[in-house]
Amino acid sequence: MSSTSPGVAVPRSRRRRRWQGASVNVLYLPALALFVVFIVYPVIQGVSIALTNWNGYSPTRSFVGLENFARIFEDPNFRTALINTFIFGIGSTIIQQVLGLLFAVLLDQKLRGREVARAVMYLPVLVSPVVMGTMYYLVFRYHQGALNDLLAMFGGAPVSWLSNADVAVAVIVIINSLQFMGISMIIYLSGLQSIPQEIKEAASLDGASGARQFRSITVPQLMPAFASSVVLNLIGGLKLYDIIQVLTGGGPGYATNSVSTLIGRTYFGNQSAGYAAAQGIVLFLIIVVCTVLLNWWFDRTRARLEN
Amino acid sequence: MRKSTKALVATVIIVGCALQLIPFYLAVTTAFKEQSDLSSVWWFPFGEATGRNFAEAIESGGILRATLNSAVVTVVSTLLVCVLAALAAYPLARRRTPVNRGVEFLILAVMMVPPLSILVPLYSLLNTMGLLNTYAGLILPLTCMELPRAIFLYTQFLRSVPISLEEAARVDGANRLQTLRRIVFPLLKPVTVTVVILTGVYVWNEYALSSYIMTSMDMRTLAPAIATFFGANGSNANAAVAAALIGVVPMLIAYLFLQKYFVKGMLAGAEK
């Protein structure tokens, strides 16, 4: 560098110092600007709207303090939505772990056509939940529904899968679990494939049975896969919106709403933007608390397993 | 494996695959049937297959226009996410100052915001900016929803790349911009495949925000168009599933040809 003519070297080295310094941070400013405008500002604005009785379109609104948050505790429709949200989240997470792990273990075996089977199991993940909901409507509708047709064939009485609230909530959990089970499956598959072959061989030499190997080697080695799968499925289930909106629209009445679908309905259906904003803040807090708690718990468990 | 075990395993796998394929099968039998055909959904149409449901989905459902809108929104959002995330990841990976750690934390926090939780303020913001029912009005928020994960993936990847390459380039007299363009960005190709697939699938299928932001018939994207058509034609499920099938075909074709990348990409996005 010093051998080049000083007239060029000085500005170049200055420019270089500038690029090595904090100025390289300009590269994240575009992304940051987008976050600030479309996420951070709305989150803050959401808090201020939640403290008013705004109806969503009128130019005026008046400050009502924490009234909207107090309303959340008394509103039976919100309570239903909250309970459903946890049913969707926890129910889907359990079913997805069971099915995902089952098919990961099965499709880890050397079998003909396993690549095709993996592709088929994974296919619904890529399809819009709106499309899946529309298709599954053919399975669960009352008249001419595929399931009721089967029941009739065996002499059973038709069931109202979608207009009975308890049944409909279960149906939504099942559809969501089947659709996204493929994600858990590939997470577990990659976890299984990352277990070193030598460990298994050593265990076999020591005379460990298949079941013993699964319990003592496979399960602990799968902990990281389990952690990411559970976090992903639970958050996905707690945010559930599309399937519900398409299949039941939250009905009958308010019985199958999740908090997400209830927010849209409170805002546009009931013109209570202030109250809907408050519900949004509660949803955000639920997701944050669940994510942080789960990650903390998994980190602790992992640390304990390693000791 | 013993023979009986193998048979059991195969049976469970076949049942699982069948379960996953049933909705697609029923959609096909129904979409090609006249509405007046009351035979069971399990059977294909007895007479001739009809194309009327598809015609209706296209004419009164506006599904072709919606497919075009989805294509525009998906391509632009994906490009934006790749470029903005790759740029943002560089300083975060290479300069680990307290400020940049703070920025990284903010980005991870943004990842946790559920789209519906900011529906009210976001909708009123877009309304004030005059962005409802415009491409930009949907592209910018969806880009924001996908950016954090993309930045995270690029940052993690860059941290695994030794800095010596960049230093060598600098010794050779390249400035930071040249280093970025010639050395760093070409390295990012494998992660970019992942980011393209994650963003593409998300935006193409997105429903919750799209259905509130794009309400006019001309601007609607696929998922809201299918849902609206389905909602308005509850009695004519035949046309509704025809619309759904049209919407799912582009994704199926992409999956068929790029399957390996899809699975690898989605996996990289899922594991943190």
Side-chain angles (χ1 to χ4, degrees):
Chain A
M1 267 296 169
S2 55
S3 64
T4 53
S5 77
V8 180
V10 169
R12 184 184 283 172
S13 72
R14 199 180 294 150
R15 199 191 310 146
R16 203 177 61 189
R17 206 177 316 128
R18 211 164 60 219
W19 271 107
Q20 281 166 334
S23 61
V24 74
N25 289 350
V26 296
L27 295 179
Y28 61 57
L29 291 184
L32 215 52
L34 274 184
F35 288 146
V36 169
V37 175
F38 291 102
I39 310 245
V40 178
Y41 173 73
V43 167
I44 297 166
Q45 187 70 10
V47 177
S48 98
I49 293 176
L51 300 175
T52 70
N53 64 353
W54 192 39
N55 59 13
Y57 49 86
S58 122
T60 59
R61 57 186 95 165
S62 40
F63 182 79
V64 294
L66 293 174
E67 204 174 274
N68 287 322
F69 291 94
R71 202 169 142 192
I72 281 175
F73 291 100
E74 295 153 11
D75 183 353
N77 293 332
F78 187 84
R79 191 175 316 138
T80 310
L82 191 65
I83 294 171
N84 287 342
T85 297
F86 280 103
I87 295 177
F88 296 142
I90 297 170
S92 312
T93 306
I94 294 173
I95 300 179
Q96 278 164 295
Q97 303 327 303
V98 172
L99 292 181
L101 188 56
L102 171 71
F103 284 105
V105 170
L106 295 186
L107 290 172
D108 194 34
Q109 314 297 325
K110 286 200 172 57
L111 292 165
R112 233 169 6 133
R114 72 171 182 185
E115 294 303 320
V116 178
R118 281 183 196 172
V120 168
M121 298 304 269
Y122 191 69
L123 169 68
V125 172
L126 303 168
V127 175
S128 168
V130 169
V131 169
M132 288 313 279
T134 312
M135 291 176 168
Y136 268 109
Y137 174 70
L138 301 174
V139 176
F140 292 106
R141 64 183 171 178
Y142 186 78
H143 293 293
Q144 276 192 288
L147 213 49
N148 279 348
D149 273 7
L150 277 185
L151 283 177
M153 238 180 269
F154 294 103
V159 176
S160 358
W161 301 102
L162 298 174
S163 50
N164 175 333
D166 293 339
V167 182
V169 166
V171 164
I172 289 166
V173 170
I174 290 169
I175 296 177
N176 182 54
S177 308
L178 284 177
Q179 174 168 14
F180 292 108
M181 172 255 283
I183 293 187
S184 313
M185 184 190 78
I186 57 160
I187 293 177
Y188 285 124
L189 256 176
S190 95
L192 286 172
Q193 282 157 6
S194 70
I195 300 176
Q197 206 55 44
E198 302 89 71
I199 301 186
K200 286 185 189 169
E201 279 161 15
S204 299
L205 284 179
D206 289 347
S209 67
R212 180 69 213 267
Q213 274 188 47
F214 187 79
R215 201 159 42 100
S216 309
I217 297 169
T218 312
V219 170
Q221 292 273 345
L222 277 183
M223 264 312 276
F226 181 68
S228 35
S229 175
V230 165
V231 172
L232 205 70
N233 292 156
L234 185 71
I235 304 304
L238 291 175
K239 287 183 189 171
L240 202 62
Y241 178 87
D242 304 12
I243 287 275
I244 308 166
Q245 197 71 357
V246 173
L247 268 186
T248 67
Y254 281 80
T256 57
N257 270 317
S258 68
V259 176
S260 287
T261 61
L262 183 65
I263 290 170
R265 205 149 145 190
T266 310
Y267 184 10
F268 292 97
N270 305 344
Q271 272 95 46
S272 311
Y275 185 35
Q279 295 172 343
I281 292 164
V282 172
L283 176 64
F284 181 33
L285 291 179
I286 291 173
I287 301 280
V288 170
V289 169
C290 288
T291 313
V292 171
L293 276 184
L294 266 182
N295 281 324
W296 170 79
W297 187 76
F298 278 125
D299 283 346
R300 216 186 51 159
T301 314
R302 201 174 304 167
R304 217 178 27 208
L305 273 180
E306 273 159 19
N307 286 336
Chain B
M1 237 191 301
R2 267 181 304 160
K3 221 169 188 175
S4 56
T5 327
K6 205 161 191 174
L8 182 67
V9 168
T11 314
V12 176
I13 291 173
I14 290 168
V15 169
C17 288
L19 214 58
Q20 294 293 60
L21 288 176
I22 282 173
F24 296 91
Y25 167 77
L26 297 175
V28 172
T29 65
T30 308
F32 287 103
K33 247 183 228 179
E34 292 284 354
Q35 205 193 332
S36 54
D37 186 341
L38 294 181
S39 62
S40 165
V41 279
W42 292 102
W43 306 122
F44 273 99
F46 282 119
E48 247 172 67
T50 176
R52 188 184 297 176
N53 299 314
F54 291 94
E56 200 178 329
I58 289 167
E59 274 159 33
S60 54
I63 294 300
L64 288 190
R65 171 78 210 198
T67 308
L68 178 75
N69 289 337
S70 278
V72 171
V73 173
T74 305
V75 170
V76 179
S77 310
T78 306
L79 269 175
L80 268 178
V81 167
C82 288
V83 173
L84 294 182
L87 287 175
Y90 187 73
L92 295 179
R94 289 290 183 246
R95 265 183 69 82
R96 309 196 73 175
T97 56
V99 174
N100 286 6
R101 275 172 217 268
V103 170
E104 222 183 325
F105 178 77
L106 175 79
I107 291 169
L108 285 177
V110 165
M111 216 179 318
M112 285 194 282
V113 178
L116 262 293
S117 76
I118 53 167
L119 176 66
V120 180
L122 182 64
Y123 184 87
S124 75
L125 173 72
L126 293 171
N127 193 13
T128 320
M129 295 169 87
L131 288 179
L132 291 176
N133 282 310
T134 65
Y135 287 133
L138 184 57
I139 288 169
L140 294 175
L142 293 189
T143 300
C144 279
M145 289 292 159
E146 274 305 286
L147 258 178
R149 187 165 52 175
I151 294 177
F152 179 80
L153 288 171
Y154 278 124
T155 311
Q156 294 295 97
F157 183 80
L158 273 174
R159 281 188 186 140
S160 71
V161 175
I163 200 165
S164 52
L165 264 179
E166 292 155 47
E167 280 166 355
R170 235 174 300 150
V171 170
D172 288 345
N175 63 34
R176 259 273 155 80
L177 268 183
Q178 287 168 330
T179 317
L180 271 180
R181 216 177 51 220
R182 305 236 175 91
I183 311 286
V184 179
F185 287 159
L187 286 173
L188 296 178
K189 268 181 206 146
V191 205
T192 304
V193 174
T194 301
V195 171
V196 166
I197 284 170
L198 286 171
T199 313
V201 171
Y202 167 74
V203 176
W204 184 264
N205 291 337
E206 210 283 336
Y207 172 62
L209 289 178
S210 312
S211 68
Y212 291 109
I213 296 172
M214 302 296 223
T215 47
S216 84
M217 186 90 175
D218 281 343
M219 293 308 290
R220 264 184 348 210
T221 47
L222 256 178
I226 294 169
T228 312
F229 189 60
F230 178 56
N233 291 273
S235 53
N236 187 0
N238 301 51
V241 287
L245 280 180
I246 298 174
V248 86
V249 162
M251 187 59 80
L252 286 188
I253 293 174
Y255 181 49
L256 207 61
F257 287 103
L258 303 169
Q259 202 207 101
K260 195 178 68 185
Y261 298 102
F262 267 82
V263 173
K264 231 189 251 163
M266 301 291 276
L267 184 63
E271 284 178 333
K272 286 181 195 113

